[in-house]
Amino acid sequence: MAYGIVTPQLAKFDTDLRLESGRILGPIEIAYETYGTLNADRTNAILVTHAWTGSAHLAGRYNEEEKRAGWWDEIVGPGRLLDTDRYFIICTNVIGSCFGSTGPTSINPKTGKRYNLSFPVITVRDMVNAQVLLMDQLGINRLVCVLGGSMGGMQALEWATQHPDRIGSAVILAATPRPSAQAISLNAVARWAIFNDPNWKKGEYRKNPKDGLALARGIGHITFLSDESMTTKFGRRFSARDGQFDFFGQFEVERYLSYNGYNFVDRFDANSFLYLAKALDLYDVSLGCESMEEAFAPVTAPLQFFAFTSDWLYPPAQTEEMVEVLKKLGKEVDYHLITSSYGHDAFLLEHETFTPMVQTFLENVEK
Amino acid sequence: MAYGIVTPQLAKFDTDLRLESGRILGPIEIAYETYGTLNADRTNAILVTHAWTGSAHLAGRYNEEEKRAGWWDEIVGPGRLLDTDRYFIICTNVIGSCFGSTGPTSINPKTGKRYNLSFPVITVRDMVNAQVLLMDQLGINRLVCVLGGSMGGMQALEWATQHPDRIGSAVILAATPRPSAQAISLNAVARWAIFNDPNWKKGEYRKNPKDGLALARGIGHITFLSDESMTTKFGRRFSARDGQFDFFGQFEVERYLSYNGYNFVDRFDANSFLYLAKALDLYDVSLGCESMEEAFAPVTAPLQFFAFTSDWLYPPAQTEEMVEVLKKLGKEVDYHLITSSYGHDAFLLEHETFTPMVQTFLENVEK
């Protein structure tokens, strides 16, 4: 059943975070939410890691009036995959984001001004190091599992490779060991769209640069879908409001991307979008290693991977490359290729395709 | 051998062109080039049709100083596929373009001002109807062949279906019976990039809106390549000039797209880009028909099709759909799937993969 009411929480840290870039960020704050009850031994915690534009609001509602529940509400609650009668579920907003954790929209305590572009470039590894600080503060030495898709999957990979003694397992969905040249290109043109917007003002805007950010989101949105899902939903239908020979006439799919892009402006910050896009592009599971073999050598936890057939942003072959290396190293690895027409977003839209397998995996891990 | 020196030509027409939209365009002009000599019977002409940003400058040089020869120079000349000792090769700039034929940058003879957005929305069918006017003026009743890739392939399809008695054959490369929802989306975000540029001024600019047009080209450029070709050429290499943790630091592929995008601004007009993008998206070989069967029923000429394995803009399955229908109708059709890593652009970059088959096809047609 659905989880119910949840209260957003904010953790403050006195210590600074030393970033991969060598820069120091701090003091930092981390917005997070929890669901269920931490047991006396503090051994029943599961961390869920969010994707690019996600937040700590994984599930439940802040009050009865809130229209939409958290972003992955369907899998959290009593008797659900992330069973709150059994587990203590944690979700943190990543640093660099704009939903409560320290990011470019935060006030730099050292200057009293918004960071904007003085915010340092961060990596997925940095995001995870911040999460480790939170686990320390919560007294959680070891997580039962870290579970996430897309950028969330990259975070789970960092937990598995950089903090192997702190997790009992990880579930990685729709991820990649490193985005390809094409994936980088698509983020590059999205960045460019924001840079082009005169209202972006090199990050020193008061109001989100809406045209640039909406377009950037539009570009991203295409990469999250698939030609098949777009064809099923919109095909080549022309907007009924427009004439086919109107210069500004739109196809339905065009109108949809525009509508969603402008909606996005109301809920996400342009600078955060840019910082997280960069973190995605820079992501490389083998960062600092000679090879993927070396990167995966420290892994001790069983890992479960899911890839989705129509995901052209992080195609299945990229996940399979990791699975092969892990197998070669004799690691415990479970891989499932899910047939789906929903593209990259399948991990969010079709949870019923993988939750039974995750459930089995978690049960085996706890034995 | 290479063709040598060519002179650009301009055809003027007194008659108006009645467009698919019901609007009237005219009087129109068509820029074109010819290579080789028209025989006395006027029966040795081949029309080559260009893609989105192409021009009539198919081959040769305007003078000894011109640095680059025409866009498909490698296949035109004595002894080459389009053998100028044998054929009279014609290439016209499509209406709507900015290389000499009537388009949004032209002066509207009825107002004395640039058309800009008062230019009517045009279709590929309109482009071909304008070419028919030119053939009439040149006294060419029947073309040996119409040959083109991408939007050029769409034009060849229109000749085959709308003017079947005017052609002896057609060669269609990297085309589609109608762009998919994803292909439309990618053009839609490219259009959006131009609309967002304040220097576009709803088409009433004096100077090309460079940031918007460069970005639009960058988006288009991604669709012409493939992940494989980008990976081979750039991989994840970071620009040696930038630090990986610089906010504005670029991956090599990012720098390449930007560099090429800004170069494009010097040679292509933003409004033409928009009008031709729209013509591409609106393209449907079955326009006005109940089915593709009905659309292809009038075809009398043998058709040869090429698709390229890594073309994700107009994937091979879309060409194969046409081939299947033509076969079902008992039409003469020849189809080749070319293995290539170059994506949609393969038809321009790897002519050696298909020219031998086109040569055989043309020889058979002439028998």
Side-chain angles (χ1 to χ4, degrees):
Chain A
M1 60 183 267
Y3 181 72
I5 302 299
V6 62
T7 307
Q9 299 181 66
L10 187 68
K12 301 190 180 199
F13 300 87
D14 293 333
T15 49
D16 288 334
L17 194 64
R18 180 174 293 273
L19 303 174
E20 283 298 309
S21 64
R23 285 183 62 180
I24 300 292
L25 180 67
I28 63 162
E29 299 182 342
I30 297 181
Y32 70 103
E33 297 184 14
T34 67
Y35 315 82
T37 311
L38 187 61
N39 64 14
D41 297 344
R42 298 170 192 258
T43 56
N44 69 331
I46 289 180
L47 176 68
V48 179
T49 46
H50 69 72
W52 196 350
T53 60
S55 71
H57 194 30
L58 171 67
R61 287 176 160 79
Y62 294 138
N63 52 57
E64 303 289 351
E65 282 69 44
E66 194 184 7
K67 273 189 189 162
R68 285 188 66 175
W71 56 272
W72 221 355
D73 185 73
E74 299 83 352
I75 67 166
V76 180
R80 291 186 172 172
L81 173 67
L82 302 179
D83 188 346
T84 47
D85 286 341
R86 188 168 172 186
Y87 301 115
F88 179 63
I89 311 298
I90 309 167
C91 186
T92 83
N93 184 221
V94 299
I95 57 163
S97 181
C98 53
F99 294 120
S101 293
T102 300
T105 60
S106 304
I107 301 296
N108 180 348
K110 286 158 188 163
T111 64
K113 290 185 191 159
R114 262 173 73 138
Y115 280 104
N116 294 337
L117 298 201
S118 75
F119 195 77
V121 166
I122 53 162
T123 65
V124 174
R125 195 164 289 177
D126 296 326
M127 296 171 194
V128 168
N129 286 337
Q131 288 161 354
V132 171
L133 290 180
L134 178 65
M135 296 314 134
D136 289 344
Q137 191 178 88
L138 297 175
I140 297 166
N141 195 41
R142 195 164 189 269
L143 292 157
V144 174
C145 185
V146 179
L147 178 152
S150 193
M151 192 178 83
M154 295 172 179
Q155 291 166 67
L157 284 168
E158 289 302 297
W159 275 95
T161 55
Q162 305 297 311
H163 309 280
D165 52 330
R166 303 290 298 258
I167 65 166
S169 65
V171 178
I172 298 126
L173 302 115
T176 177
R178 41 182 155 45
S180 71
Q182 187 180 64
I184 290 170
S185 298
L186 290 157
N187 278 357
V189 290
R191 278 192 281 276
W192 192 349
I194 295 172
F195 295 162
N196 271 0
D197 190 328
N199 293 317
W200 179 60
K201 300 175 182 173
K202 294 225 167 183
E204 295 292 324
Y205 51 84
R206 281 167 188 269
K207 266 183 73 180
N208 237 349
K210 68 183 170 60
D211 294 327
L213 181 57
L215 171 53
R217 175 62 170 188
I219 294 167
H221 202 153
I222 296 171
T223 70
F224 304 151
L225 306 178
S226 73
D227 195 9
E228 193 181 341
S229 66
M230 283 179 155
T231 297
T232 304
K233 197 164 178 182
F234 306 105
R236 292 177 42 85
R237 279 200 312 282
F238 214 77
S239 166
R241 283 193 267 169
D242 301 333
Q244 200 165 5
F245 296 110
D246 294 350
F247 180 81
F248 289 105
Q250 290 184 312
F251 287 86
E252 280 290 352
V253 67
E254 192 167 4
R255 183 179 295 281
Y256 171 79
L257 290 172
S258 172
Y259 176 82
N260 277 276
Y262 282 100
N263 271 351
F264 182 70
V265 172
D266 298 331
R267 67 185 168 86
F268 209 82
D269 172 67
N271 286 341
S272 274
F273 187 90
L274 292 168
Y275 276 94
L276 298 185
K278 190 147 194 96
L280 284 165
D281 288 352
L282 288 174
Y283 185 67
D284 186 346
V285 73
S286 309
L287 180 68
C289 296
E290 293 291 314
S291 65
M292 206 183 283
E293 283 75 5
E294 189 188 328
F296 280 133
V299 170
T300 51
L303 305 184
Q304 187 180 44
F305 289 88
F306 292 92
F308 299 86
T309 49
S310 56
D311 183 351
W312 62 284
L313 183 63
Y314 300 156
Q318 297 178 10
T319 288
E320 286 157 14
E321 190 188 345
M322 295 191 278
V323 170
E324 287 315 304
V325 169
L326 285 158
K327 278 186 180 163
K328 220 175 78 182
L329 293 170
K331 308 290 182 183
E332 266 187 83
V333 56
D334 182 39
Y335 168 61
H336 302 275
L337 176 62
I338 306 291
T339 300
S340 169
S341 67
Y342 282 93
H344 186 65
D345 264 356
F347 84 92
L348 280 175
L349 299 174
E350 293 193 303
H351 60 89
E352 66 283 1
T353 60
F354 56 83
T355 41
M357 291 170 264
V358 178
Q359 190 137 27
T360 306
F361 175 74
L362 287 176
E363 275 160 17
N364 287 337
V365 159
E366 290 200 84
K367 267 175 205 161
Chain B
M1 60 182 268
Y3 181 73
I5 301 298
V6 62
T7 308
Q9 300 181 65
L10 188 68
K12 301 192 180 200
F13 301 87
D14 294 333
T15 49
D16 289 334
L17 193 64
R18 180 174 294 274
L19 303 174
E20 283 298 309
S21 63
R23 284 183 62 180
I24 301 292
L25 180 66
I28 64 162
E29 300 181 343
I30 298 181
Y32 70 104
E33 297 184 12
T34 68
Y35 316 82
T37 310
L38 187 60
N39 63 14
D41 296 345
R42 303 172 187 252
T43 55
N44 69 331
I46 289 180
L47 176 69
V48 179
T49 45
H50 70 70
W52 194 350
T53 61
S55 71
H57 195 28
L58 172 67
R61 287 176 161 78
Y62 293 138
N63 52 61
E64 302 290 352
E65 282 68 46
E66 194 184 7
K67 273 188 190 164
R68 286 187 66 173
W71 56 273
W72 220 354
D73 185 72
E74 299 85 353
I75 67 166
V76 180
R80 291 185 171 173
L81 174 66
L82 302 180
D83 187 347
T84 47
D85 287 341
R86 189 169 172 186
Y87 302 116
F88 179 62
I89 311 297
I90 310 166
C91 186
T92 82
N93 184 223
V94 299
I95 57 165
S97 181
C98 51
F99 294 120
S101 293
T102 300
T105 61
S106 304
I107 301 296
N108 180 349
K110 287 161 188 161
T111 64
K113 290 185 191 158
R114 263 175 71 139
Y115 281 104
N116 295 337
L117 298 201
S118 75
F119 195 78
V121 166
I122 53 162
T123 65
V124 174
R125 193 163 290 178
D126 296 326
M127 296 172 194
V128 168
N129 286 336
Q131 289 161 353
V132 171
L133 290 180
L134 179 65
M135 296 313 134
D136 289 345
Q137 192 178 88
L138 296 174
I140 297 166
N141 194 41
R142 195 162 189 269
L143 293 157
V144 174
C145 184
V146 179
L147 178 151
S150 194
M151 193 179 81
M154 294 171 180
Q155 291 166 68
L157 284 168
E158 289 302 297
W159 275 96
T161 55
Q162 303 298 310
H163 309 279
D165 51 330
R166 302 291 297 259
I167 65 167
S169 66
V171 178
I172 298 125
L173 302 114
T176 176
R178 38 175 160 48
S180 71
Q182 188 181 61
I184 291 170
S185 298
L186 289 156
N187 278 357
V189 290
R191 279 192 282 274
W192 191 349
I194 296 173
F195 295 161
N196 271 0
D197 190 328
N199 293 316
W200 180 59
K201 298 175 183 176
K202 294 223 166 182
E204 295 291 325
Y205 49 86
R206 279 166 189 270
K207 268 183 72 179
N208 236 350
K210 69 181 168 61
D211 294 329
L213 182 56
L215 171 53
R217 175 62 169 188
I219 294 167
H221 203 153
I222 296 171
T223 70
F224 305 151
L225 307 178
S226 73
D227 196 10
E228 195 180 340
S229 66
M230 283 180 154
T231 297
T232 304
K233 196 163 180 182
F234 306 105
R236 292 177 42 85
R237 279 199 311 283
F238 214 77
S239 167
R241 284 193 266 169
D242 301 332
Q244 200 164 7
F245 297 111
D246 294 351
F247 180 81
F248 289 105
Q250 290 186 311
F251 287 85
E252 280 290 352
V253 66
E254 192 167 5
R255 184 179 294 281
Y256 170 81
L257 290 173
S258 173
Y259 176 82
N260 277 277
Y262 282 100
N263 271 350
F264 181 71
V265 172
D266 298 330
R267 64 184 170 88
F268 209 83
D269 172 67
N271 286 342
S272 275
F273 186 91
L274 292 168
Y275 276 95
L276 298 186
K278 191 148 193 97
L280 285 165
D281 289 352
L282 288 175
Y283 185 67
D284 186 345
V285 74
S286 310
L287 180 68
C289 296
E290 293 290 315
S291 66
M292 205 182 285
E293 282 76 5
E294 189 188 327
F296 280 133
V299 171
T300 51
L303 305 184
Q304 187 180 45
F305 289 88
F306 292 91
F308 299 86
T309 49
S310 56
D311 182 352
W312 63 283
L313 183 63
Y314 300 156
Q318 296 178 11
T319 288
E320 287 157 14
E321 190 188 345
M322 293 190 280
V323 170
E324 287 315 303
V325 169
L326 285 158
K327 278 186 180 162
K328 220 174 80 183
L329 294 171
K331 307 288 180 184
E332 266 186 82
V333 56
D334 183 37
Y335 168 61
H336 302 275
L337 176 63
I338 306 291
T339 301
S340 169
S341 67
Y342 283 93
H344 186 65
D345 264 357
F347 84 92
L348 281 174
L349 300 173
E350 293 192 304
H351 59 88
E352 67 282 1
T353 61
F354 57 82
T355 41
M357 290 170 264
V358 178
Q359 190 137 27
T360 306
F361 176 74
L362 286 177
E363 277 159 15
N364 287 337
V365 160
E366 290 199 84
K367 268 173 203 163

